[in-house]
Amino acid sequence: MGKDRERERLPRKVYEAELLRLQAELVKLQDWVRAEGARVVVLFEGRDAAGKGGAIKRITEVLSARTVQVVALPVPTERQRTEWYFQRYVEQLPAAGEMMLFDRSWYNRAGVERVMGFCTEEECRLFLRQAPVFERLLIDDGIILRKYWLSVSDAEQERRFESRLHDPMRRWKLSPMDLRSITHWEDYSRAKDEMFAQTDTPESPWYVVESDDKRRARINLIAHLLSSLPYHEVEHPALELPARPPSRGYRRPPRESQTYVPDHAATLTGS
């Protein structure tokens, strides 16, 4: 492994303190997106088990789903397979005041589809020619676009797969396609290198995040995302709880007239 991958893992206390600070900034970013009517698109790409989902979760867990949404598209339908490749992604682009986080994106074509044979070489090369043009159109129209590649080593990926294999709470994260990717490590590497060569442009660059240490990766990605956006704190009007008006004779229906959820918590404490 490279020198960066051999660094000591970020201590949990340091990670949690900094994550809390960054999440407070993410709330300010959310307010700015709404107030300014900004349109923000963030792409999360990388090999299976690189940590894309975990990074996205740490971003969204303190934000409103009305403003910040996750896009994770399923396998295309038969009709979608006959459309212009970018068409179903266009439908997911943000309107004013929205931020879309793509858990895998149109770059599926240059990665898993190419390596696993779900598209032809001609289709992939057409994609690699069109992607920079497509992204330039988005940026010209005012969309803020950020692209992150989470980079995981082969040893760490295998360790994470092994962990999921024996953890019933995370087994759902492991698919036959994930396991097949182990045997195509070099194919994915070559595909990623060509993808970068064709789509890492000055107006829409790729940002690589070393992700063998998940905590470090999340902190680094969120900090970079915040530093790259021109957000500022939005002033909010002062809020005050109104006085509760006096009762006008309302009486709650008897408890037995409604169906309550059983008190399962009481069985845990005996009270």
Side-chain angles (χ1 to χ4, degrees):
M1 291 194 300
K3 189 174 181 180
D4 285 346
R5 295 192 189 277
E6 294 173 354
R7 286 182 298 178
E8 182 183 351
R9 304 226 174 223
L10 192 65
R12 179 175 294 277
K13 285 188 177 181
V14 175
Y15 163 71
E16 291 178 346
E18 180 61 6
L19 179 61
L20 187 62
R21 186 190 72 81
L22 291 173
Q23 288 179 330
E25 291 300 312
L26 285 170
V27 173
K28 295 178 187 177
L29 171 62
Q30 171 184 256
D31 292 344
W32 174 82
V33 168
R34 285 194 299 224
E36 296 294 327
R39 291 175 293 159
V40 181
V41 171
V42 187
L43 310 187
F44 295 78
E45 291 289 345
R47 297 177 188 269
D48 297 314
K52 300 177 292 295
I56 292 171
K57 182 178 179 180
R58 297 322 180 275
I59 292 173
T60 59
E61 64 186 358
V62 296
L63 304 179
S64 168
R66 291 189 178 91
T67 302
V68 181
Q69 300 174 36
V70 178
V71 179
L73 296 184
V75 174
T77 65
E78 287 303 313
R79 183 181 188 280
Q80 288 171 332
R81 292 179 193 277
T82 68
E83 298 173 346
W84 178 45
Y85 178 73
F86 293 94
Q87 191 166 329
R88 72 185 189 127
Y89 293 101
V90 170
E91 295 171 355
Q92 305 298 324
L93 293 174
E98 294 179 346
M99 181 174 176
M100 298 296 184
L101 310 181
F102 282 76
D103 186 354
R104 295 199 181 277
S105 66
W106 43 88
Y107 283 100
N108 266 341
R109 173 131 296 180
V112 65
E113 289 189 18
R114 184 180 199 180
V115 172
M116 294 300 181
F118 298 145
C119 70
T120 66
E121 275 298 306
E122 292 75 15
E123 288 172 327
C124 182
R125 296 199 179 281
L126 177 62
F127 166 81
L128 291 173
R129 291 199 304 273
Q130 290 184 342
V133 179
F134 174 66
E135 291 169 9
R136 192 175 306 121
L137 290 172
L138 300 184
I139 295 167
D140 285 348
D141 200 59
I143 288 178
I144 299 172
L145 176 63
R146 297 292 181 269
K147 303 188 305 193
Y148 290 101
W149 177 270
L150 281 77
S151 178
V152 65
S153 67
D154 52 352
E156 179 61 19
Q157 183 194 54
E158 189 169 348
R159 188 196 68 77
R160 291 176 185 176
F161 282 164
E162 187 72 24
S163 175
R164 292 176 182 182
L165 192 62
H166 301 291
D167 184 348
M169 301 297 286
R170 296 190 299 155
R171 179 69 184 270
W172 63 270
K173 289 186 174 184
L174 197 60
S175 70
M177 188 68 65
D178 295 333
L179 298 179
R180 285 179 61 193
S181 70
I182 294 177
T183 64
H184 290 277
W185 180 271
E186 288 192 5
D187 296 328
Y188 272 106
S189 296
R190 294 188 184 96
K192 176 256 185 182
D193 290 346
E194 185 172 358
M195 182 184 80
F196 268 46
Q198 299 295 326
T199 64
D200 186 13
T201 62
E203 61 267 31
S204 181
W206 280 102
Y207 296 104
V208 178
V209 182
E210 293 284 3
S211 65
D212 274 12
D213 180 351
K214 289 183 179 181
R215 297 173 192 166
R216 192 181 297 272
R218 293 164 186 167
I219 293 298
N220 290 343
L221 191 155
I222 297 172
H224 180 272
L225 176 63
L226 289 166
S227 71
S228 75
L229 298 175
Y231 78 99
H232 55 79
E233 190 164 4
V234 175
E235 291 292 329
H236 294 285
L239 299 177
E240 216 174 278
L241 284 176
R244 191 180 298 277
S247 172
R248 292 181 295 167
Y250 169 78
R251 298 187 65 180
R252 185 174 178 173
R255 288 180 61 88
E256 57 270 19
S257 69
Q258 299 173 350
T259 304
Y260 283 81
V261 171
D263 191 359
H264 174 71
T267 68
L268 306 177
T269 61
S271 61

